[in-house]
Amino acid sequence: MDKLLITGGTKLDGELRISGAKNSALIILTSSLLSNEPVTICNVPHLHDITTMIELLGCMGVEMVIDEKRNIEVHANTIKQFTAPYELVKTMRASFLVLGPMLAHYGQAEVSLPGGCAIGPRPVDQHLQGLTAMGADIYMEDGYVKASVKGRLKGAHILFDVKTVGGTEHIMMSATLAEGRTVMENCAREPEIVDLADCLISMGADIEGQGTDTIVVNGVEELKGCRHRVIPDRVETGTFLIAVAATGGHVKLKDAQPDHLEAVLLKLADAGAEISCGKDWIELDMKGRKPKAVSLVTSPYPAFPTDLQAQIMAMNCIAEGSATVTETVFENRFMHIHEMNRMGARIKLEANSTTAYVEGVELLKGAPVMANDLRASVSLVIAGLVAEGNTIVDRIYHIDRGYEQIEEKLQLLGANVKRIAA
Ligand code: EPU
């Protein structure tokens, strides 16, 4: 298992290009199952999770052509079986979202239930309630969701009990081929949902309200092929901005989308960063200063994202002053705290509390660390960058799931980071 060896203490400085969004690309790949014509997806990041999705579609018989620029052309009409096996769904929850598109297009699907997850239980009840309301016949057997529908799914009125990104995406995709109108309320508003809707509209879907909490889909009989470019990854963008701010450095990020990161940029400005933005770039300069600690509460978009909570905690560890960080989206997303405290951080978390109290210290101390979630793992890389001496981050296959060439990108900014093959 590869590890990252980080020697801390460098102020990061330089320019980087941001990759396509993992969480957009994954779901857009599943949406290609709605069409008989080829769907070409561009700006797909080279990540382990994307490989897993390609493997899943491949094992269902879907043919794909990937060119040298990693544009992926998906021919879903070659599908031979409508089953997504446990082995693939358990490694990546996004695989579960092949259920709705297969059901809407082919009237049948068998998809393994995803099971537990390091950051919380992450149920799929909202997905299943929505599909049932649209007329699907769903039952569980041997750990699989077995779903079928006679004829087409039917448009329905769906009110989500919780704001769910995956649930909103799943029902929106399924509704595109349903008979009649689906009105979805209390929808999540994340940019990846808007990106998916834009792709579906290019395929001929009739969707309105994406990016607001009410989405209306008028079902159509079929969807055609299209070519779609995935939006920039806002979590990768935020991760690099926070890493640079933590080290007191400077960076210009190109191919980024600043309007997707408003809450994050405001917090970084509070931390003392000078930030300027263009349409597709963001420049951050800490002018060699230490950041000030910033308090925050994670919530669905447009509020501060849970996917950047661990990273900003790493910054707060060495910031001036103290702050509170409250996680409201996932139940168990504080596993980095213990590892950061082993590096000399002062973070307190009461049992069963959703709020961590961070008191900034002068410097962290390098240590061997590890985590079993993507964002927690990358936060330990940031902690290593602001630590004295060497930090070895173990289990970096989590980081490879969601960050393209992390060590090369950090090296471009001057970081002393090496991948050690075990
Ligand atoms: N929830 C339910 N029932 C459901 C669905 C969700 O109770 O049927 C709850 C979850 O347990 C959670 C909350 O609703 O407490 C929000 O979950 P959501 O469904 O929004 O999350 P998701 O769609 O499973 C996506 C991202 C996550 C990101 C979250 C929140 C993808 C592939 N994943 O997950 O990304 O943290 O939205 O923004 O889009 C990551 O990239 O590291 C990552 C975990």
Side-chain angles (χ1 to χ4, degrees), residues 22-23 26-27 94 119 122-127 162-166 190 306-307 329-330 333 374-375:
K22 164 181 85 83
N23 290 345
L26 283 174
I27 313 305
I119 59 178
R122 302 181 78 182
V124 287
D125 56 306
Q126 299 299 303
H127 304 228
V162 286
K163 291 233 183 258
T164 155
V165 178
E190 270 66 4
T306 173
D307 289 343
V329 180
F330 289 112
R333 219 176 192 185
L374 163 60
R375 309 302 173 188

Side-chain angles (χ1 to χ4, degrees), residues 167-185:
T168 303
E169 292 167 335
H170 208 165
I171 301 305
M172 183 171 75
M173 286 193 284
S174 309
T176 58
L177 288 181
E179 211 176 309
R181 167 180 288 225
T182 300
V183 179
M184 302 157 57
E185 291 191 81

Side-chain angles (χ1 to χ4, degrees), residues 155-159 171 175 181-185 187 214-217:
H157 187 180
I158 288 156
L159 173 59
I171 301 305
R181 167 180 288 225
T182 300
V183 179
M184 302 157 57
E185 291 191 81
C187 295
T214 303
I215 299 179
V216 178
V217 184

